[in-house]
Amino acid sequence: MDSPLLPEGVKRCSTKAFFLWTLPWLGLLAWGGLSAFLCLWKGLNQTNMSNIFAFALWIVFDLAVIALGAGAFFTGFLTYIIGKKELKNVINAAVIIGFICYSGAIAMLGIDIGQPIRGWFIFWHANIHSMLVEVSFCITCYLMVLAIEFVPIILGNRQLSKIRELNIFGHNLHETMAVFAATGTFLSFFHQGSLGGMFGVLYARPFAARDGFFIWPWTFFLFILSAIAAGPCFTILCTKLTEKLSRKKLVPDNAIQLLAKISAFLLSLYMVLKIADTLGWIYGVVPRAGLKFIDFYQEGPYGVWLVVCEIIIFGIAPAIILLVPKARQHDGWLIAACLMTCMGIVLNRFVFIVVTLAIPVMPFDRFWGYLPTWQEWGIAMAVIGYGFLLFSAAYRYLPLFPKERELNPVTE
Amino acid sequence: MTPFSFEWQWNIEYILFMGLLYIALTIIVCGLVYVLVKTWLDLPMIEKPHDTPPEISYRSRYSDY
């Protein structure tokens, strides 16, 4: 039924099969829609957020998807600025993943602020000393850049590319992409950093506070590094998942291997600095606050296992796997390492957001627990549903993987 | 916020913070305007009368980029 819209010379499943595939994701979107309606209609009392947990599940999801979506800006930087030609085979997928992550995060923030119609206040009545304002500026501008980067991919659709004006426009846009990629890199650098910096400057919360360089706490640099290490891993994961589901080879090995290799070096560097930062925190910030390292891990479910998981299991282990050429060339190990890296980054964001707020600050405070409501889960899951839907539609109708036809000749 | 807003203060912090935002926005807008103008200028050059444009596959175009 939709065959005229499908890319030339490639095989896609039937319309019926595609429709059935979209049903669970539409279900998640419906759940999210209902949750959003309730939050907007009745207010944020539909959530378990409070004055203690002003940041909760949505911000964990936001920071996680923004870190995982960093593959877009970093792959764009490597492709258009550094000139890594082999990454042109994966840049389209990276851009769409980035677009999904950032648009999903902004949509979720729209509910999180409680009064979306006042969302523009942050731009017009900006508090220029707030790192969150800088983050808001940068993610909004970067979403514009991602939308611009997405346009030539949409215009590559079989039917749209027949329209000469659009064809030329798409071609020109593609030729100017280095400018947008450079702008995206600048914007991403600062918002990834400021998301980390925001926690590092919480001097009243020694669990998150860090020393730093000039006005930037170390977390500023660690968040950038962790995002550019995990972003390519997430792009690899999404590509591999698409390959498994479509039972096709979509991206040449050299592109995936290059991404994995770069990710390996960045992750290793991140782990070295993260360990140094943790030691600096244990022997610097914590004693200065009159506390001991173990004081932070004595109450609630958040024990020392969090540190072990974050640094050893989801940090050092995937870094070693990705560093060993034979291991990263093996599909199973590569996927496992990428998955562990992504889980590590999600865990890192969770620790900085939820655990920071759960740990008591004053002597008379107690440990606070938090569990999201079904409405909070609904909105977070809707981002996943939206992501699957958009990526599936993009794979079906757009030239997502330029080498797909070459790697999978259709024999009829 | 612009320099005309009542909250604006003429100091380095405001100039730097808001200036970087406006620089980023200017680059994005200028980039888009450049592409639109270039497309506008390219249209008559490629147009051939009574000739339908050939269907250019995105794949064959890709190596050009």
Side-chain angles (χ1 to χ4, degrees):
Chain A
M1 196 165 76
D2 58 354
S3 52
L5 292 170
L6 305 182
E8 282 172 281
V10 295
K11 248 183 127 177
R12 292 285 182 268
C13 63
S14 66
T15 315
K16 190 182 166 192
F18 182 69
F19 174 70
L20 289 175
W21 161 255
T22 61
L23 283 181
W25 316 122
L26 287 170
L28 287 183
L29 269 186
W31 179 15
L34 175 64
S35 306
F37 172 74
L38 285 171
C39 288
L40 294 176
W41 180 39
K42 294 192 170 181
L44 290 178
N45 58 4
Q46 298 296 297
T47 71
N48 272 344
M49 290 194 290
S50 61
N51 287 341
I52 303 288
F53 283 103
F55 282 180
L57 178 75
W58 294 338
I59 297 294
V60 175
F61 253 73
D62 261 2
L63 264 64
V65 295
I66 283 175
L68 298 175
F73 99 82
F74 193 58
T75 314
F77 171 74
L78 292 171
T79 311
Y80 297 111
I81 313 293
I82 303 291
K84 296 281 178 196
K85 302 282 177 215
E86 50 272 60
L87 295 183
K88 286 188 172 178
N89 296 316
V90 77
I91 184 70
N92 289 356
V95 164
I96 293 173
I97 292 164
F99 181 82
I100 290 167
C101 289
Y102 277 79
S103 52
I106 289 180
M108 203 154 39
L109 281 176
I111 308 298
D112 201 357
I113 59 174
Q115 291 260 24
I117 51 171
R118 294 185 189 166
W120 58 276
F121 277 28
I122 203 162
F123 303 101
W124 199 250
H125 305 293
N127 168 10
I128 62 149
H129 297 113
S130 161
M131 287 206 176
L132 266 185
V133 170
E134 186 194 330
V135 170
S136 309
F137 282 9
C138 286
I139 60 171
T140 314
C141 290
Y142 185 50
L143 183 62
M144 288 180 206
V145 171
L146 281 170
I148 292 168
E149 289 180 344
F150 198 173
V151 168
I153 307 173
I154 296 171
L155 297 180
N157 172 269
R158 191 169 162 187
Q159 295 303 320
L160 289 175
S161 65
K162 286 179 182 169
I163 304 168
R164 199 169 59 86
E165 289 81 359
L166 293 182
N167 207 331
I168 297 168
F169 179 69
H171 175 82
N172 286 337
L173 209 48
H174 216 133
E175 284 196 329
T176 328
M177 209 45 85
V179 175
F180 296 112
T183 314
T185 304
F186 166 79
L187 293 166
S188 294
F189 182 87
F190 277 98
H191 76 249
Q192 296 284 1
S194 289
L195 280 172
M198 188 176 72
F199 296 104
V201 296
L202 293 176
Y203 301 119
R205 292 186 179 272
F207 183 76
R210 293 292 190 274
D211 295 324
F213 167 72
F214 192 39
I215 60 166
W216 299 287
W218 296 127
T219 44
F220 181 94
F221 305 100
L222 288 175
F223 265 53
I224 297 171
L225 202 49
S226 60
I228 58 177
C233 282
F234 190 60
T235 307
I236 294 174
L237 267 187
C238 294
T239 310
K240 288 288 172 192
L241 182 65
T242 316
E243 284 186 343
K244 298 282 175 214
L245 289 170
S246 63
R247 292 188 216 107
K248 285 184 200 170
K249 181 133 195 78
L250 299 170
V251 179
D253 283 335
N254 62 347
I256 295 290
Q257 286 303 313
L258 178 65
L259 271 187
K261 194 174 157 186
I262 292 170
S263 202
F265 284 110
L266 290 169
L267 186 61
S268 307
L269 178 63
Y270 168 65
M271 286 326 299
V272 170
L273 296 178
K274 173 79 186 166
I275 291 167
D277 170 71
T278 308
L279 290 173
W281 172 71
I282 293 172
Y283 294 107
V285 177
V286 176
R288 277 206 304 273
L291 296 163
K292 294 189 295 294
F293 166 75
I294 202 67
D295 292 341
F296 296 108
Y297 299 102
Q298 281 179 334
E299 290 179 88
Y302 311 130
V304 181
W305 64 269
L306 276 176
V307 184
V308 175
C309 282
E310 201 190 326
I311 293 182
I312 298 172
I313 301 172
F314 298 131
I316 295 172
I320 292 171
I321 296 171
L322 290 173
L323 273 178
V324 179
K326 277 204 171 167
R328 69 168 177 261
Q329 280 158 13
H330 185 275
D331 245 18
W333 283 112
L334 177 69
I335 292 170
C338 289
L339 196 60
M340 286 157 82
T341 308
C342 294
M343 285 168 73
I345 253 52
V346 175
L347 184 63
N348 174 263
R349 285 3 180 205
F350 169 82
V351 167
F352 266 108
I353 296 163
V354 173
V355 182
T356 297
L357 297 175
I359 290 172
V361 178
M362 307 301 275
F364 48 82
D365 268 353
R366 67 173 178 85
F367 179 91
W368 289 92
Y370 158 77
L371 274 177
T373 60
W374 67 265
Q375 290 93 332
E376 288 177 85
W377 279 117
I379 286 166
M381 289 299 126
V383 175
I384 294 176
Y386 157 69
F388 267 96
L389 269 181
L390 189 56
F391 197 80
S392 307
Y395 172 66
R396 187 171 175 81
Y397 298 113
L398 304 178
L400 205 55
F401 299 104
K403 289 275 172 150
E404 183 184 353
R405 193 163 60 172
E406 197 180 301
L407 293 168
N408 307 276
V410 179
T411 49
E412 283 187 37
Chain B
M1 189 193 292
T2 69
F4 306 107
S5 308
F6 73 91
E7 302 111 312
W8 181 269
Q9 292 169 32
W10 283 105
N11 61 41
I12 190 70
E13 293 167 350
Y14 276 76
I15 293 168
L16 203 68
F17 193 89
M18 298 306 292
L20 286 174
L21 169 72
Y22 285 120
I23 287 172
L25 285 174
T26 307
I27 293 171
I28 295 170
V29 171
C30 286
L32 274 180
V33 170
Y34 169 79
V35 171
L36 283 168
V37 170
K38 193 163 185 296
T39 305
W40 179 261
L41 294 174
D42 285 350
L43 277 176
M45 284 201 301
I46 300 168
E47 199 168 21
K48 289 177 189 165
H50 314 298
D51 191 11
T52 51
E55 187 181 331
I56 305 168
S57 158
Y58 60 88
R59 284 169 216 286
S60 61
R61 270 194 301 140
Y62 206 84
S63 56
D64 299 338
Y65 297 130

